[in-house]
Amino acid sequence: MKLARFLLMGATAALLSACSSDCNPGKAGFVSGLGCSLGGGYQQRETNLRQGAAQAQSEALVEQMNAARAQNEAFDAQKSLEQARQEMAQLDSTLDDLNLRLETLRKRASVDRTALHRAENDYKALREQQRQRRIQLQTQSPTQAAPTRAEIESFRAREDRLLEALDRMM
């Protein structure tokens, strides 16, 4: 009878401990450990832990793939940024070259305008001198002195300088 009683108590304890949801061997006592062992709680815990580990590995793999993808995107973005910087440097260089050429042309135009203005003034002065000479020649009597050779050469030299200045501008 004592044995039957003992077995009955053990079976009741086993049934009660099998209902326990925490089959952690580190926390279970003798009776609950016996109930978890007989009721399959330890196997269920092991299955749950294995599934959790597999899920964690899967999630870690997904995170690794996401990190690799993000790293590739960052690399591509860095590469695009470097390419854009190189293009910008090339544009800056081209712009500097064009600005220098423009400044040179502006200076040349200023010099050309000055030379043109000077040539126009020389031309007007020479035309006026020619006009006055004609008037002088028309009003001059045959006995009056004709222009000297030096005056004629000076007149021709000024005329040549004027023509050369006009040729350089064209």
Side-chain angles (χ1 to χ4, degrees):
M1 184 100 28
K2 281 189 183 190
L3 183 61
R5 215 177 192 188
F6 180 71
L7 287 175
L8 184 61
M9 276 180 51
T12 305
L15 285 175
L16 288 175
S17 64
C19 294
S20 171
S21 63
D22 186 22
C23 285
N24 185 347
K27 293 181 182 178
F30 174 74
V31 175
S32 63
L34 185 62
C36 284
S37 181
L38 293 174
Y42 286 138
Q43 287 79 14
Q44 184 63 37
R45 176 178 165 78
E46 182 180 352
T47 302
N48 289 345
L49 289 175
R50 287 182 193 267
Q51 287 176 349
Q55 181 68 25
Q57 281 181 331
S58 175
E59 289 173 1
L61 184 61
V62 167
E63 289 302 319
Q64 284 177 345
M65 290 171 45
N66 288 341
R69 186 179 315 114
Q71 188 176 14
N72 286 339
E73 289 173 359
F75 178 75
D76 290 344
Q78 184 67 29
K79 189 176 177 182
S80 294
L81 181 62
E82 275 303 313
Q83 186 176 6
R85 284 181 179 156
Q86 288 174 354
E87 289 173 2
M88 184 61 85
Q90 188 175 15
L91 287 173
D92 286 345
S93 176
T94 302
L95 186 61
D96 289 344
D97 290 345
L98 288 174
N99 193 28
L100 183 62
R101 284 181 33 201
L102 181 61
E103 197 59 38
T104 302
L105 289 173
R106 282 181 182 148
K107 286 178 184 176
R108 187 183 302 160
S110 175
V111 168
D112 288 347
R113 280 193 298 270
T114 303
L116 177 63
H117 185 65
R118 203 174 310 132
E120 286 173 343
N121 288 339
D122 287 348
Y123 177 77
K124 288 176 185 175
L126 199 56
R127 288 290 276 177
E128 180 59 28
Q129 188 179 8
Q130 181 186 31
R131 188 184 69 74
Q132 288 177 2
R133 274 301 199 190
R134 280 191 189 186
I135 293 171
Q136 190 180 34
L137 287 175
Q138 290 172 354
T139 60
Q140 185 177 14
S141 68
T143 57
Q144 289 179 327
T148 65
R149 188 180 251 343
E151 289 175 328
I152 293 172
E153 286 179 13
S154 170
F155 181 74
R156 285 186 180 154
R158 287 182 71 195
E159 185 179 35
D160 288 342
R161 281 194 310 267
L162 179 61
L163 291 174
E164 285 175 11
L166 288 174
D167 284 342
R168 278 188 304 231
M169 283 185 234
M170 293 184 171

